[in-house]
């Protein structure tokens, strides 16, 4: 799997924690740690990883080290430049970093970075490196399978029916087990009646999941009574297993006429 970006990846961004140089306010990533996590996971899982920028190719590899009689695998770079000798650079992390991360987390990180940089992801043969300033190549069968099923993490929301959108969230007319942030899966939940994609700034953990689910639920709970039609409200309440039933929607201070009529209908038919 190849990740191609126009932005130049400098080695300092790999060997130092906390460097984030995203230029867009809409960027998904901002911690400056995700790439290190992804590399640690990939080496831990046995992937072949190469980085390529103009005049440089680097192979990511693991090297055993011992600290207080305990074995670790340090993540390092074997760097080849157009001019000069081969150089070994220590990334400064071990494969124990991101111990709870899976290959899906690593894929999500690299794919998110590519989206942030306006790049491209593809499989197959390498293309002319001049097309991109940075290319990250990952060789691992399971990783390629994740790419093939990438819509589980990065759904094509343009194919879904948009019911409502404001500055905070998009609501789509489709059942879902997930919540999304700027088009990326960030939370797995009980099946919801609608699909929610949050577009305003939300706090994320370093593994790209929602830090505070209550903030997302607050937005949803306040929004639905205002925007749902009579038919949409009836359908939602008839879907007895959806997570929207956890909200006190019937007690909303502000609501649409259709929502109020649906609540009255429900009360009269209990």
């Amino acid at each position: 799997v190849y990740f191609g970006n126009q932005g130049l990846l400098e080695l300092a961004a790999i060997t130092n924690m906390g460097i984030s140089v995203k230029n867009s306010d809409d960027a998904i990533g901002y911690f400056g740690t995700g790439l290190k996590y992804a590399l640690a996971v990939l080496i831990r899982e046995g992937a072949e990883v190469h980085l390529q920028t103009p005049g440089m190719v680097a192979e990511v590899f693991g090297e055993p080290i011992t600290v207080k009689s305990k074995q670790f695998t340090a993540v390092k770079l074997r760097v080849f430049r157009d001019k000069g000798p081969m150089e070994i650079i220590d990334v400064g992390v071990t494969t124990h970093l991101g111990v709870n991360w899976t290959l899906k987390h690593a894929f999500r990180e690299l794919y998110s970075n590519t989206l942030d940089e306006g790049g491209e992801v593809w499989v197959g043969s390498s293309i002319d490196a001049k097309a991109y300033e940075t290319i990250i190549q990952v060789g691992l069968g399971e990783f390629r399978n994740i790419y093939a099923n990438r819509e589980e993490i990065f759904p094509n929301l343009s194919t879904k029916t948009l019911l409502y959108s404001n500055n905070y969230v998009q609501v789509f007319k489709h059942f879902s087990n997930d919540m999304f942030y700027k088009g990326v899966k960030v939370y797995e939940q009980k099946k919801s009646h609608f699909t929610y994609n949050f577009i305003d700034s939300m706090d994320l953990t370093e593994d790209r999941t929602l830090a505070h689910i209550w903030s997302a639920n607050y937005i949803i709970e306040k929004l639905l009574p205002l925007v749902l039609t009579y038919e949409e409200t009836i359908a939602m309440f008839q879907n007895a297993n959806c997570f929207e039933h956890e909200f006190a929607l019937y007690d909303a201070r502000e609501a649409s006429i259709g929502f109020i009529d649906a609540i009255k209908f429900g009360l009269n038919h209990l």
Side-chain angles (χ1 to χ4, degrees):
V1 182
Y2 295 87
F3 301 84
N5 296 320
Q6 294 297 349
L8 180 63
L9 175 63
E10 298 185 22
L11 292 183
I14 301 177
T15 58
N16 292 277
M17 301 289 278
I19 293 180
S20 179
V21 291
K22 302 292 178 62
N23 294 320
S24 173
D25 291 337
D26 293 328
I28 302 167
Y30 56 88
F31 286 106
T33 58
L35 181 55
K36 274 75 74 176
Y37 275 72
L39 294 179
V41 173
L42 291 170
I43 298 305
R44 184 171 71 230
E45 296 296 330
E48 295 182 1
V49 185
H50 293 85
L51 314 175
Q52 184 173 346
T53 62
M56 185 207 78
V57 175
E59 174 191 1
V60 187
F61 68 100
E63 183 174 279
I65 60 173
T66 303
V67 179
K68 291 187 176 181
S69 302
K70 190 172 182 178
Q71 298 294 316
F72 295 91
T73 299
V75 179
K76 297 190 175 185
L77 304 175
R78 190 176 287 116
V79 180
F80 302 88
R81 305 181 191 276
D82 287 349
K83 297 180 180 179
M86 184 271 289
E87 183 180 4
I88 300 294
I89 297 179
D90 195 335
V91 175
V93 301
T94 73
T95 55
H96 193 70
L97 181 71
V99 66
N100 293 321
W101 277 40
T102 66
L103 283 172
K104 282 188 176 182
H105 289 94
F107 178 84
R108 183 173 59 184
E109 175 62 31
L110 296 180
Y111 199 102
S112 296
N113 285 345
T114 303
L115 292 178
D116 286 344
E117 299 291 346
E120 179 185 5
V121 183
W122 69 96
V123 297
S125 301
S126 177
I127 64 174
D128 186 358
K130 294 181 180 179
Y132 297 98
E133 289 186 284
T134 298
I135 293 179
I136 300 177
Q137 176 187 351
V138 179
L140 188 66
E142 187 178 349
F143 200 74
R144 183 165 178 158
N145 291 338
I146 294 172
Y147 168 81
N149 296 290
R150 60 193 177 279
E151 285 209 5
E152 295 177 3
I153 307 172
F154 299 89
N156 184 1
L157 294 176
S158 64
T159 64
K160 299 182 183 297
T161 302
L162 180 65
L163 287 179
Y164 183 80
S165 179
N166 60 19
N167 292 331
Y168 302 99
V169 66
Q170 296 172 319
V171 182
F172 295 90
K173 189 179 181 180
H174 296 270
F175 297 162
S176 179
N177 289 323
D178 307 304
M179 286 186 183
F180 301 90
Y181 173 60
K182 297 181 180 179
V184 183
K185 176 181 174 179
V186 291
Y187 190 76
E188 188 170 331
Q189 62 181 10
K190 176 182 177 181
K191 183 179 287 290
S192 61
H193 190 73
F194 302 107
T195 297
Y196 303 98
N197 179 44
F198 295 90
I199 52 180
D200 192 32
S201 180
M202 301 285 283
D203 290 335
L204 303 180
T205 64
E206 289 196 357
D207 65 353
R208 300 256 196 256
T209 57
L210 282 178
H212 311 293
I213 184 59
W214 59 263
S215 62
N217 288 346
Y218 177 83
I219 293 173
I220 295 170
E221 186 173 12
K222 297 300 180 184
L223 175 67
L224 292 183
L226 293 173
V227 302
L228 292 185
T229 65
Y230 176 87
E231 292 77 13
E232 291 162 354
T233 306
I234 292 294
M236 181 184 67
F237 281 114
Q238 288 177 339
N239 184 2
N241 295 320
C242 68
F243 101 106
E244 285 89 349
H245 282 231
E246 299 174 5
F247 300 141
L249 297 176
Y250 58 85
D251 197 30
R253 294 185 179 181
E254 296 181 90
S256 67
I257 297 298
F259 183 88
I260 293 173
D261 288 344
I263 295 297
K264 290 179 179 178
F265 175 86
L267 293 175
N268 291 332
H269 290 78
L270 289 177

